[in-house]
Amino acid sequence: TEGGGGGVAAGMKETLDKVVTAHKVVLFMKGTKDFPQCGFSHTVVQILRSLDVPFETLDVLANDALRQGLKEYSSWPTFPQLYIDGEFFGGCDITLEAYKSGELQETLEKAMCS
Amino acid sequence: MGVTKEDVEAAVAAALSPTHLVVTDTSGGCGASYEIEVVSGKFEGKRLLERHRMVNTALAPLMAEIHAVSIKALTPEQAQPQPSPPAVTADKA
């Protein structure tokens, strides 16, 4: 059975607060932007590239503590996870929908100007 | 071992009383993954992120064994056939 998670450990939360605000756009993904290890992560990388915004990626496959911590931090069970301006924006489906509707571009523009 | 399509359907149906629900097994090289298309009145007035969170919450007990989910969450109104043809159509022989 599962161990009692019950929220993000204090140290992990502080670390993640710093990581998600260190850059305007941060993508937690499987693999790296040059070598995505999953189609969903690849999709979001492609979208961000096509919009020509600078973004940082972190490979959750390379750090299991980061991977588990983020799931609780974001209250989101899967990867990729996109953060814009320190806020959780969504996973692959939401990012793709928002890209199609123009909402993503709008959010990114706002973030870049802030 | 493992989660079945039926488990996913049951969990979503119980939580969201959908008027339409299609669960597809889409293991695309990454492992156990599902595509979920759900239409529910409970999505009314909710942003996409919130809608997805509702589906994720419904699936929480199963997520440990699911690799990935792809969610399409619509209100009954949005699910009505649109006047313009859909952008993507599947060619079937």
Side-chain angles (χ1 to χ4, degrees), chain A residues 5-85:
Chain A
V8 191
M12 178 58 99
K13 188 185 177 300
E14 276 170 31
T15 304
L16 291 176
D17 281 341
K18 277 185 203 148
V19 173
V20 301
T21 51
H23 304 275
K24 295 279 188 185
V25 184
V26 182
L27 179 66
F28 299 95
M29 60 179 285
K30 293 186 175 175
T32 63
K33 66 169 101 170
D34 293 318
F35 190 31
Q37 306 255 13
C38 175
F40 296 97
S41 289
H42 179 70
T43 299
V44 177
V45 167
Q46 292 295 103
I47 289 173
L48 292 174
R49 285 220 163 113
S50 80
L51 294 175
D52 212 16
V53 288
F55 63 101
E56 286 300 314
T57 62
L58 281 102
D59 183 0
V60 296
L61 295 178
N63 186 336
D64 200 55
L66 174 72
R67 184 176 179 175
Q68 295 310 324
L70 263 171
K71 288 186 187 184
E72 293 172 26
Y73 183 78
S74 314
S75 306
W76 196 260
T78 54
F79 291 93
Q81 296 186 4
L82 178 63
Y83 274 78
I84 301 174
D85 231 357

Side-chain angles (χ1 to χ4, degrees), chain B residues 15-31:
Chain B
L16 297 168
S17 327
T19 54
H20 173 83
L21 173 64
V22 180
V23 175
T24 316
D25 191 333
T26 55
S27 313
C30 281

Side-chain angles (χ1 to χ4, degrees), chain A residues 74-77 88 94, chain B residues 8-18 21 36 38-63 69 71-76:
Chain A
S74 314
S75 306
W76 196 260
F88 180 58
I94 287 176
Chain B
V8 175
E9 278 168 356
V12 175
L16 297 168
S17 327
L21 173 64
I36 301 164
V38 52
V39 179
S40 168
K42 293 193 180 182
F43 293 144
E44 220 73 72
K46 299 271 201 311
R47 289 172 52 226
L48 200 54
L49 183 61
E50 294 173 72
R51 294 180 192 187
H52 282 233
R53 282 201 193 280
M54 289 161 77
V55 179
N56 288 337
T57 302
L59 294 177
L62 308 175
M63 280 313 291
V69 287
I71 299 167
K72 194 170 183 192
L74 302 172
T75 60

